[in-house]
Amino acid sequence: MKSITFTLNGRERSFDIEPDERFLDLLRRSGLTGTKCGCDNGMCGSCTVIVDGRAVNSCILFAFQVAGRIVETIEGIGDFDRPHPLQTAMADAGAVQCGYCTPGMVMAAKALLDQKPDAGEEDFRRHLDGNLCRCTGYVKIRDALLSCSAGARAES
Amino acid sequence: MNYTDFKTPTRLDEARALLKELGDAAVPVAGSTLHVFLRDETPRIAVDITRLGLDGIRREEGNFEIGATTRVAELLEFRDDGWVLDRVADAFVSQTVRNAATVGGSIVRTFPWSDFPVALLVLNASMIITGDSDRVVDADTYFASQPFHHFQPGDLLTAIRVPPLVAGEGFGYHKERRTGSDFSRLTLAARLDVREGRVGGLRIAAGSGVPLPTRLTAVEKALVGARPGPKKFAEAAEAGLEEVRWRGSAGLSDDYIRHLASVRIVDVLTQAYEEAKGERS
Ligand SMILES: Cc1cc2nc3c(=O)[nH]c(=O)nc-3n(C[C@H](O)[C@H](O)[C@H](O)COP(=O)(O)OP(=O)(O)OC[C@H]3O[C@@H](n4cnc5c(N)ncnc54)[C@H](O)[C@@H]3O)c2cc1C
Ligand code: FES
Ligand code: FES
């Protein structure tokens, strides 16, 4: 075991980790189970978290790689009582069925909107091209996420 | 990966000294995405090389100099005259992997389906390896075998030098895949320039349908000095088909990939030619 420190959802935290521990496993054993494991191979996006402003797959990231970095997980952006606008939009649009892909979708969309608040459909398509959903068919997810873009709000 | 320890150096000389001292017991780690494909259970110490300041893209003596730990997503976002690697980065898996994988990591240990080797071959890039002395290795030499053979313990790829496209030159890129984030079944890239209505220079390369990324020199020979056009491109593509042994994958037969190559060679030549004429859409 070796200790690492990083900023997790706005607070500096230290964790003892195994050198070959994946970041997803560290999060989940620490009680942050909102981040899901779908494929464990970087191919589905259900484990998406934001590291230094960029959406990455936590299943293929080693925990030591986040030492000193700024990390956001789904738990950090909103909860049942105070949901993030992206979470509200997903629920309102009926874009959640089993919900397994939802935290990853929301985090990938948040990283995009943080970088480009007026992101358009092309941006969402490109930035969420690694986030798979096996239930919804994507249309409602697209509608929900796009409704949170400043571009879409300006048009309506 | 069976990492028994990890180090997070913040200076290049520190990282190199560690890697040299630890020899085969250590391994440089950039995005760390390779472990998805390479299940190596040998115990090793991971040396994180993403904090050494080896990232970013800048113009240096006319060329683009890309730091080895620049994330692929940054290649997609970067814009400048003569920059074409955004088109290659766009075809690279998914945004979440583009955000993690580095351009250096993707060309030190390559796969048949790797995107950047094919593009860097036609762009005539050079790889800068920092060891006890710096070495500049041209793309033909670098990609002639598995590139990790160029590295001794303590050596790091520190930058990639890419000449920009200039007026009269065009670039074409095609990755044959079944879904957006699928692995390539055939990759082709071409860089072509037109002088006084004729092909002045051409580099064209293939990946994925072949064991290692490779230049299609027969296509190049057939076209340099010729008047470009669909008929001439198709003739040149035929010449290219004989030059390499095309290989199918994922249920696609060798013959199918060979046929696909005849079509896609013409496509990348056409893309490059249209851009060279200033007609890229
Ligand atoms: C799901 C998935 C799909 C993918 N699909 C594609 C695809 O379609 N096309 C494609 O091109 N790539 C694809 N990749 C990425 C590719 O296969 C590699 O995993 C990736 O490019 C490696 O980059 P990295 O920064 O993660 O390198 P790492 O995994 O950190 O390192 C790769 C190797 O290079 C060495 N290394 C890294 N940087 C240096 C350096 N600067 N100097 C010396 N040695 C170094 C490491 O020791 C290691 O041996 C995919 C990856 C995933 C996870
Ligand atoms: S669980 Fe990480 S990408 Fe699927
Ligand atoms: S809602 Fe079930 S996978 Fe997306």
Side-chain angles (χ1 to χ4, degrees), chain A residues 2-4 17-20 22 40-43 45 48-49 53-57 59-62 64-69 108 111 115 125-132, chain B residues 1-8 29-33 35-37 39 46-48 50-51 71 73-74 76-77 79 90 92-100 180-181 183:
Chain A
K2 211 165 156 179
S3 179
I4 57 163
I17 61 160
E18 295 291 351
D20 61 354
R22 308 289 175 84
D40 211 13
N41 263 330
M43 296 185 191
T48 304
V49 297
R54 290 190 177 273
V56 295
N57 304 115
C59 69
I60 57 172
L61 194 68
F62 288 94
F64 72 79
Q65 294 183 275
V66 308
R69 314 257 186 220
Q115 195 186 354
R125 279 183 187 276
R126 181 171 283 143
H127 281 251
L128 275 79
D129 59 356
N131 292 78
L132 306 185
Chain B
M1 288 291 169
N2 180 4
Y3 294 138
T4 53
D5 193 3
F6 59 87
K7 309 276 181 196
T8 49
V29 173
S32 93
T33 60
H35 72 87
V36 172
F37 308 104
R39 302 272 174 200
V47 178
D48 186 336
T50 61
R51 301 150 199 265
R71 310 282 171 175
E74 291 172 63
L76 175 57
E77 290 154 14
R79 292 287 179 278
D90 199 19
F92 189 101
V93 216
S94 60
Q95 184 67 16
T96 41
V97 177
R98 288 191 285 272
N99 281 336
S181 49
F183 298 102

Side-chain angles (χ1 to χ4, degrees), chain A residues 1-147:
Chain A
M1 284 274 181
K2 211 165 156 179
S3 179
I4 57 163
T5 301
F6 59 96
T7 304
L8 177 60
N9 296 328
R11 276 180 52 213
E12 192 168 286
R13 301 273 305 268
S14 294
F15 292 89
D16 287 333
I17 61 160
E18 295 291 351
D20 61 354
E21 183 168 11
R22 308 289 175 84
F23 188 48
L24 174 62
D25 296 332
L26 170 64
L27 288 173
R28 292 185 61 85
R29 79 168 161 83
S30 307
L32 299 179
T33 53
T35 306
K36 305 297 182 206
C37 181
C39 68
D40 211 13
N41 263 330
M43 296 185 191
C44 78
S46 66
C47 64
T48 304
V49 297
I50 303 177
V51 178
D52 284 352
R54 290 190 177 273
V56 295
N57 304 115
S58 61
C59 69
I60 57 172
L61 194 68
F62 288 94
F64 72 79
Q65 294 183 275
V66 308
R69 314 257 186 220
I70 296 173
V71 178
E72 288 172 82
T73 69
I74 190 73
E75 289 85 356
I77 72 162
D79 58 24
F80 199 78
D81 296 324
R82 274 179 305 163
H84 186 277
L86 281 162
Q87 293 170 309
T88 308
M90 291 286 277
D92 289 352
V96 182
Q97 288 187 25
C98 81
Y100 209 77
C101 68
T102 313
M105 294 279 178
V106 168
M107 295 312 284
K110 180 174 187 296
L112 168 61
L113 290 173
D114 287 349
Q115 195 186 354
K116 191 173 181 189
D118 63 346
E121 179 159 354
E122 267 311 300
D123 299 311
F124 279 102
R125 279 183 187 276
R126 181 171 283 143
H127 281 251
L128 275 79
D129 59 356
N131 292 78
L132 306 185
C133 175
R134 280 297 168 259
C135 301
T136 64
Y138 300 103
V139 173
K140 291 183 175 178
I141 295 178
R142 178 200 63 188
D143 294 347
L145 302 179
L146 260 175
S147 74

